[in-house]
Amino acid sequence: MKAVRSPALRLWGRLAESTHVRRRERQTVLEGVHLLQGYQAKGGIPLHWFIRASVAADPEVSALRRHSLWPEAAVLADDLFDEYSSLQSPGGVAALISWPAAPASFPTEESCLVLDGLQDPGNVGTLLRSAAAAGMPTVVCASGTVQVWSPKVLRAGMGAHFQLTLHEGADLRDWFPCYAGTILGAEREASRAYDDFDLTGTVALVIGNEGAGLTPDARKLLHDRIHIPMATGVESLNAGVAGSILLFERQRQIRAGKKGRQEQQE
């Protein structure tokens, strides 16, 4: 006899599989204790959540269950949990959440990271982690970029989503002309190196697609192009690595400026 699946369990399956369903419902799936801990720490409350029976007594899982505002978890038999989990080694907990609404308008007077058509969830998650770590609080995803709230990007982001303001679906032709800061695009053929620019002001750092690079729309609207010098014979850097280098160069310059001002005051 086939087991009866609850509506919440069926919703988990649809959200895990379908970009369309996630976008329509504005909901997604978190898997793994670390992600749920990060979500809980930021005050998030899941719609539903599930525990693999064999880890129900785990101290970290028990700590999640003690949150007074969270709904009661559904404890599932291991084989049933594994049927829905998208992880090769199921982490033992999963939650269905509504993703936060982005601000009504795209940023015009604050620094941001711009993802222009990136398709690899690992690269996008890496860049979100680097943005959070380097103090770049806003990330704008142009049309054509992989869905930032997909389970794969969430896993790669390791909780960075909950520390950032995220925008999706930006039309660069409409937004970039309204942006008050400097728009800099990373390109291998650029003549000026990344550390030749002052990144301490209001700046949009644009990272293009892993294979095709920046889109024509982005390239036409840049204020300048920057590159990362590499050893002879090396064709390119991974998009996640390249973007991370730029983010931390900006952070380095900001820190150096603060240190210089402090030394002048002493």
Side-chain angles (χ1 to χ4, degrees):
M1 182 176 178
K2 188 176 181 180
V4 176
R5 303 306 202 249
S6 71
L9 202 53
R10 294 198 298 271
L11 178 59
W12 178 4
R14 294 198 301 274
L15 291 173
E17 294 174 359
S18 173
T19 299
H20 172 72
V21 171
R22 290 194 296 270
R23 184 173 291 115
R24 184 190 68 206
E25 303 294 334
R26 292 192 62 81
Q27 296 173 12
T28 191
V29 181
L30 304 181
E31 282 200 66
V33 169
H34 180 82
L35 268 183
L36 267 67
Q37 287 172 333
Y39 179 68
Q40 190 175 87
K42 290 297 181 180
I45 300 175
L47 303 167
H48 309 279
W49 69 297
F50 311 92
I51 299 173
R52 196 171 188 260
S54 60
V55 303
D58 181 272
E60 290 186 312
V61 175
S62 297
L64 289 171
R65 299 179 79 175
R66 287 195 292 271
H67 195 287
S68 61
L69 298 180
W70 276 35
E72 184 66 28
V75 179
L76 306 178
D78 286 11
D79 59 347
L80 183 58
F81 187 99
D82 296 352
E83 181 181 330
Y84 285 87
S85 175
S86 58
L87 302 180
Q88 289 186 345
S89 300
V93 290
L96 311 186
I97 70 166
S98 295
W99 69 60
S105 58
F106 294 104
T108 57
E109 297 183 352
E110 62 184 271
S111 293
C112 57
L113 174 68
V114 182
L115 308 184
D116 182 29
L118 272 75
Q119 286 296 299
D120 184 85
N123 279 334
V124 174
T126 294
L127 286 166
L128 296 185
R129 291 178 69 182
S130 292
M136 181 71 89
T138 301
V139 178
V140 179
C141 298
S143 299
T145 300
V146 67
Q147 190 181 66
V148 77
W149 289 99
S150 75
K152 289 183 179 179
V153 176
L154 279 157
R155 290 197 297 273
M158 294 293 287
H161 289 69
F162 312 127
Q163 302 177 51
L164 299 166
T165 299
L166 300 172
H167 300 261
E168 289 193 280
D171 185 331
L172 300 184
R173 293 170 298 180
D174 292 337
W175 170 49
F176 270 173
C178 302
Y179 187 72
T182 303
I183 304 170
L184 300 174
E187 286 204 307
R188 184 172 178 269
E189 296 79 13
S191 59
R192 294 178 62 188
Y194 71 103
D195 54 358
D196 190 33
F197 287 83
D198 180 359
L199 304 179
T200 61
T202 302
V203 62
L205 299 175
V206 190
I207 306 299
N209 176 271
E210 292 85 353
L214 297 172
T215 60
D217 287 339
R219 192 175 287 111
K220 286 187 295 187
L221 295 165
L222 297 175
H223 295 143
D224 218 328
R225 301 186 304 157
I226 58 180
H227 82 281
I228 300 169
M230 293 179 286
T232 302
V234 178
E235 181 179 346
S236 64
L237 282 173
N238 171 280
V241 172
S244 298
I245 289 172
L246 300 183
L247 287 165
F248 279 96
E249 171 62 15
R250 173 180 174 269
Q251 177 66 3
R252 184 197 66 78
Q253 291 183 17
I254 291 172
R255 292 178 59 208
K258 288 181 179 178
K259 183 178 179 181
R261 289 192 295 272
Q262 289 172 351
E263 290 175 348
Q264 289 176 0
Q265 293 171 1
E266 292 176 356

